[in-house]
């Protein structure tokens, strides 16, 4: 399944949050230029591909506590041609991967926030267990 998601809500589904909840594993979400808001942590338990229109054109912005996106599934979460950033007030990782693989192509990850004297949270990408991260320009 492949869905087009537009920042103005005119795509196949109205929001990125709705699309992430709706799609089956193995699906592709094609994001238009614009800003997509993730107000809370989105925990993905299925492999997905999320593609933007370019890292200077498509932004996913999260204000979530602890992590913007969590991924813990067999398979690959593939992100390409977008920026994923955290701009919330509380400490958080931008992406927390605890199983499977994260593949990044042409992406920018920014804004992880660490609390003073805290040994956790605050990474752009936090990979644990046997998770694999692969990034290419």
């Amino acid at each position: 399944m492949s869905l087009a998601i537009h920042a103005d809500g005119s795509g196949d589904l109205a929001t990125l949050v709705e699309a992430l909840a709706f799609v089956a594993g193995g699906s592709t979400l094609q994001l238009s230029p614009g800003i997509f808001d993730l107000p809370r942590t989105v925990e993905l338990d299925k492999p997905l591909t999320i593609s933007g229109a370019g890292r200077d054109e498509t932004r996913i912005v999260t204000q979530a506590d602890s992590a913007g996106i969590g991924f813990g599934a067999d398979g690959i979460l593939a992100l390409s041609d977008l920026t994923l950033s955290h701009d919330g007030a509380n400490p958080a990782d931008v992406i927390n991967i605890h199983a499977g693989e994260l593949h990044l192509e042409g992406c920018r990850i920014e804004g992880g926030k660490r609390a003073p004297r805290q040994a956790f949270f605050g990474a752009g990408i936090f990979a644990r267990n046997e998770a694999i991260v692969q990034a290419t320009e």
Side-chain angles (χ1 to χ4, degrees), residues 27-77:
S27 295
T28 297
L29 299 178
Q30 182 63 49
L31 306 182
S32 70
I35 298 173
F36 297 84
D37 189 41
L38 293 180
R40 64 185 181 285
T41 300
V42 173
E43 185 65 39
L44 300 174
D45 61 358
K46 54 197 166 196
L48 292 174
T49 297
I50 304 171
S51 298
R55 68 177 161 219
D56 294 326
E57 303 296 323
T58 303
R59 295 180 58 86
I60 299 173
V61 180
T62 178
Q63 298 82 30
D65 296 341
S66 75
I69 293 177
F71 181 67
D74 290 333
I76 297 169
L77 172 60

Side-chain angles (χ1 to χ4, degrees), residues 43 66-67 69-72 93-98 125-126 128:
E43 185 65 39
S66 75
I69 293 177
F71 181 67
D93 301 322
V94 180
I95 301 174
N96 185 314
I97 177 170
H98 44 92
I125 300 169
F126 183 74
R128 57 190 166 118

Side-chain angles (χ1 to χ4, degrees), residues 105-125:
E105 183 177 343
C107 290
R108 180 182 301 124
I109 309 298
E110 60 189 18
K113 185 179 262 186
R114 184 172 178 216
R117 299 177 303 276
Q118 191 174 33
F120 53 93
F121 298 132
I125 300 169

